[in-house]
Amino acid sequence: MNTLALGPSWLDPDYLIGQFGLAGVLVIVFAESGLLIGFFLPGDSLLFTTGLLVTTDKLHTPLWLVCVLVALAAIIGDQVGYLFGRKVGPSLFSRPDSRLFKQENVEKAHEFFEKHGPKSLILARFVPIVRTFTPIIAGVSRMNYRSFIVFNVIGGVLWGVGVTLLGAALGNVEFVHKNIEAMLVLIVLISVIPIAIEFLRARSKAKKEGPAAGSGEVPPQDPSAGRRGRHAKR
């Protein structure tokens, strides 16, 4: 099966699975779930393709076992991210930018966590980049550990098992199987929608705050007012 590489060929889900098999899928899910270097990995399209390959007998592993292993990799990844956040603490926010690290990504994840609270651990699973940094931010914020485990497990199962089963279910649909390239593009676009919405909201908010801030400026004084005042004193 040939798929459309949305970026470098080595990030193409079909290529990754063909080269590294299920083990590679689990490593990528683990890395994207909680390691700083994993934010650019193709999590959604990779899981969808994995489910599709299982149901079409091109990946010879029982679907139930794939789902269990993927969920565990996602949960353990978030766990590592949380512990990393607790250990690193606030220093993460002062770390300089590099090719693989952008302070902007940390700030976005922090805003997402502050806005949605503990449930962000579930919602973030379906938002690329944010899902990598959110468990780390939860650790930095020292979120209650028991609450973290509960939301981590729920999010890991819903995302890991859900997207994989979606690929398996649609893999039996002839149209989907023949147009896998378009389906992968669609999945990527859908996963980016939350980021686009947040961007538009932030932009709209900035525009609204701009005029409001400008209205507080002191209007220029009438030069003649000073002269009238001086004449009045005389």
Side-chain angles (χ1 to χ4, degrees), residues 39-87:
F39 70 91
F40 62 91
L41 296 171
D44 299 306
S45 56
L46 182 69
L47 292 182
F48 182 88
T49 303
T50 299
L52 188 150
L53 292 177
V54 170
T55 197
T56 54
D57 294 326
K58 293 182 179 179
L59 187 60
H60 304 292
T61 305
L63 182 60
W64 69 267
L65 180 58
V66 172
C67 290
V68 170
L69 293 176
V70 166
L72 286 175
I75 293 169
I76 295 173
D78 261 30
Q79 178 70 32
V80 171
Y82 176 85
L83 295 176
F84 176 78
R86 284 186 69 99
K87 183 175 181 180

Side-chain angles (χ1 to χ4, degrees), residues 27 49 67 89 92-93 96 131 136 142 168 175 181 210-211 213 225 234:
V27 170
T49 303
C67 290
L92 182 65
F93 290 89
R131 66 168 154 255
I136 298 175
R142 295 191 174 275
F175 174 81
E181 299 93 343
R234 291 178 184 175

Side-chain angles (χ1 to χ4, degrees), residues 57-130:
D57 294 326
K58 293 182 179 179
L59 187 60
H60 304 292
T61 305
L63 182 60
W64 69 267
L65 180 58
V66 172
C67 290
V68 170
L69 293 176
V70 166
L72 286 175
I75 293 169
I76 295 173
D78 261 30
Q79 178 70 32
V80 171
Y82 176 85
L83 295 176
F84 176 78
R86 284 186 69 99
K87 183 175 181 180
V88 172
S91 62
L92 182 65
F93 290 89
S94 59
R95 180 175 176 174
D97 287 351
S98 64
R99 174 174 292 185
L100 293 179
F101 178 86
K102 298 296 180 183
Q103 190 62 233
E104 179 184 2
N105 293 332
V106 178
E107 294 172 356
K108 286 180 179 179
H110 183 262
E111 292 174 1
F112 192 87
F113 182 78
E114 290 295 319
K115 180 178 180 180
H116 299 288
K119 66 180 181 180
S120 63
L121 291 168
I122 298 176
L123 300 176
R125 288 287 190 179
F126 300 90
V127 184
I129 300 178
V130 174

